[in-house]
Amino acid sequence: MSSPPATLSLAGNTVGTFVPAVRHRLKQMSTELRSYFGVPFCLRDGNSGEVLLTGEGQSFGDDSILATICAGLCQEGMPTIVAEEHGCAILAIPLKDGSQDLLAAAAFRLSTSDAAPPAFNKIGQLLGCSAKEAQHWFYAQSEWTIAALQRMAHLAAEKMAADVEIGRLTEEIDKVSDSLSSTYEEISLLYGLTQNLRISSTDSQLGDLALNWLLEVIPCRGLSILYQVPGDKDRTHGGGFEHSLLTAGECPADAKMLSHIVRQFSLNEKRAAFVANQRITERGDWPFPEIRQIIAVPLVEGENIFGWLFAINHTEEKGFGTVEASLLSSVGTILGIHSGNIELYRRQSEFVTSVVRALTSAIDAKDPYTCGHSDRVARLSVRLAQQMGMDTETLNLLYMAGLLHDVGKIGIDDSVLRKPGRLTDEEYEHIKLHPELGCNILSGLKQLEDVLPVVLHHHEQWDGKGYPHKLAGESIPVLARVTAVADAYDAMTSDRPYRKGMPQERVAQIFREGSGTQWDPQVIKAFFEAHDDIQTIMQEERAGTDFDVIGWIKSMQES
Ligand SMILES: [Fe+2]
Ligand SMILES: [Fe+2]
């Protein structure tokens, strides 16, 4: 008996320093074992044999023996009776706490038929106490048989192992469900953004949407987007960013500060996500102490960077990590693609506009007597359509259609087109080809396909006596019916070298008589309602073709 019964004085306590969670689990195990066996257990480290938690009044005299065989018992993993003598047994049960092996041990009084009193000094040696203490202990115990001890030990070990496994699985489920719910939030955010990737939504509409969603998902105090003109690095240099910064939450940085960071860290050249936590922001060269943590990701599409998306200051003052940076990067890419599409659309519209301009000047050059006819018809049609309650998109389309309605005249002989005075029947038939010729000229241009019905049908009549298809009533496309009235009005009122334009009263009379025969009564009604504006339009001197139809209508109505 070389080791002293050192642990008796610490009965029921943990030995050494543990984190509270470990101490709590050890005590829980000990309590559970006590509920099965009715005695306190001593818990040891399965590898070193070191006592972690003493059982009340339970310390085994030959401490070194249990400590030595501890690792072997744990490896076997089976409950074992390690000593059985003098009417007393020591039971050891290997347990696990996570990856740590533990050995629980307790002494038991065995039932015996022996009438002679037990040798308390021997029991004292086994337990590590005096004979008197051993006697006291002995008579306070319930009697066990070896078989009952073994059965109970197996059941207890299995139950406790199952509990540990359930605890581990529950923890894993919690982790998986946490990560699932954050993945779900991220996916629904990205899905929501892609649903809003319409050309009609502007950069700032989609940007605002993204910032407000991100504010709920990313643990940051503020978010912002700094837009820049792609390919123009100077755009991030000077000031004048008031209109190119979007923010959400508490954002301590303005456009100047953010563009300073973009410049200082050469972000436009690196074109990758940039994360700066305290390690960087607490350095002497960090320019803005109010920014303690920041992520910056580019709004990138192909070669172009349309701006930078920033998450600023962690809500718990922790550092931002790869999870936040990668979600932000996905959003940055979506915003970049959207900006790229808008840019592409803007360039396409510009191209279409320049084609329309070129065609309009070709028509005017072809027939100088009717100079400005296309532009006047376009604006008159827009005013009539506005009177009829058509929407902005339709007004824009109608303006384009008005400009191009006579584009087919490019294919009509100059001698016929410029002939002063009456046309022969043959010449008139030749001129009547211009709607179909116009249609052929434009049919290859996908962007202009919506104006084709106007080009083809602007000479149809409400009573079906027009050309080229002799359509009648509502089978004539409505925009063609509108253009027909504007076209006739400009033709009747404009001066020609060979005749003066008709007076307003005469035109009004012709329209009244032709309503419901030559022209759509609804359009004629709109004409009389908007008569004053229409005369203003006719008198308006216009330099070039202005495609801002809505702006033009507004300015006309304000003046
Ligand atoms: Fe025409
Ligand atoms: Fe015309």
Side-chain angles (χ1 to χ4, degrees), residues 405-406 409 434 458-459 487:
H405 76 283
D406 275 341
K409 284 192 178 166
H434 80 271
H458 71 277
H459 285 289
D487 192 26

Side-chain angles (χ1 to χ4, degrees), residues 33 48 68 105 139 167 222 335 361 444 456 459 513:
L33 286 167
S48 65
T68 341
Y139 289 118
L335 294 178
S361 32
L456 186 61
H459 285 289
E513 286 168 9

Side-chain angles (χ1 to χ4, degrees), residues 235 237-242 256:
R235 190 69 181 81
H237 286 266
F241 286 100
E242 292 78 10
K256 237 179 179 167

Side-chain angles (χ1 to χ4, degrees), residues 158-452:
E158 271 172 29
K159 160 81 168 56
M160 289 171 79
D163 285 349
V164 168
E165 184 63 6
I166 288 170
R168 192 186 62 78
L169 289 174
T170 310
E171 214 167 276
E172 210 161 282
I173 288 170
D174 285 351
K175 264 194 217 154
V176 169
S177 90
D178 272 2
S179 109
L180 261 183
S181 79
S182 81
T183 309
Y184 174 78
E185 274 177 35
E186 286 167 23
I187 289 176
S188 45
L189 185 153
L190 296 176
Y191 176 76
L193 276 186
T194 54
Q195 289 303 293
N196 282 278
L197 279 179
R198 290 183 302 265
I199 294 290
S200 59
S201 41
T202 62
D203 275 341
S204 57
Q205 281 172 332
L206 192 68
D208 272 329
L209 206 64
L211 291 186
N212 286 309
W213 279 337
L214 281 170
L215 203 55
E216 287 176 23
V217 184
I218 302 255
C220 63
R221 299 209 178 275
L223 285 150
S224 63
I225 298 175
L226 177 71
Y227 288 104
Q228 65 188 35
V229 176
D232 180 5
K233 295 207 180 83
D234 289 340
R235 190 69 181 81
T236 58
H237 286 266
F241 286 100
E242 292 78 10
H243 302 294
S244 55
L245 185 78
L246 295 180
T247 59
E250 303 158 31
C251 190
D254 61 16
K256 237 179 179 167
M257 291 159 77
L258 294 174
S259 60
H260 183 103
I261 292 173
V262 169
R263 222 166 41 245
Q264 179 172 348
F265 294 91
S266 308
L267 299 186
N268 278 319
E269 288 70 29
K270 290 178 187 153
R271 309 170 57 83
F274 168 76
V275 181
N277 289 316
Q278 290 89 323
R279 199 172 56 80
I280 294 175
T281 61
E282 283 170 8
R283 276 187 344 210
D285 62 343
W286 182 254
F288 307 114
E290 54 272 63
I291 301 176
R292 295 175 300 280
Q293 299 89 16
I294 190 169
I295 310 176
V297 300
L299 269 50
V300 70
E301 189 261 342
E303 287 296 295
N304 296 319
I305 295 181
F306 292 92
W308 289 84
L309 166 62
F310 301 89
I312 301 170
N313 291 343
H314 198 287
T315 43
E316 290 160 35
E317 294 295 325
K318 290 188 205 162
F320 285 123
T322 45
V323 177
E324 291 94 6
S326 87
L327 174 59
L328 222 56
S329 290
S330 308
V331 173
T333 305
I334 291 177
L335 294 178
I337 289 171
H338 184 250
S339 295
N341 286 344
I342 287 183
E343 176 63 12
L344 204 64
Y345 182 76
R346 190 189 59 77
R347 278 192 221 158
Q348 265 200 358
S349 310
E350 241 175 43
F351 171 71
V352 172
T353 307
S354 61
V355 168
V356 172
R357 257 196 204 112
L359 288 171
T360 312
S361 32
I363 306 163
D364 283 352
K366 181 92 181 171
D367 186 2
Y369 299 146
T370 61
C371 188
H373 171 70
S374 308
D375 181 55
R376 286 192 300 274
V377 170
R379 283 180 295 135
L380 290 174
S381 306
V382 169
R383 184 62 190 86
L384 291 172
Q386 189 204 21
Q387 192 65 37
M388 293 166 75
M390 294 188 192
D391 61 25
T392 308
E393 208 177 321
T394 309
L395 298 188
N396 278 310
L397 171 63
L398 192 55
Y399 182 72
M400 207 71 105
L403 287 177
L404 294 170
H405 76 283
D406 275 341
V407 68
K409 284 192 178 166
I410 291 173
I412 301 298
D413 288 344
D414 285 358
S415 58
V416 178
L417 213 53
R418 296 179 182 187
K419 182 180 172 183
R422 267 192 86 82
L423 298 175
T424 64
D425 284 354
E426 203 180 315
E427 287 164 341
Y428 189 53
E429 286 306 311
H430 180 55
I431 282 225
K432 279 164 72 179
L433 293 176
H434 80 271
E436 279 167 311
L437 282 173
C439 217
N440 289 343
I441 290 171
L442 300 181
S443 62
L445 294 167
K446 178 102 181 85
Q447 292 90 337
L448 292 176
E449 66 185 10
D450 289 343
V451 310
L452 293 185

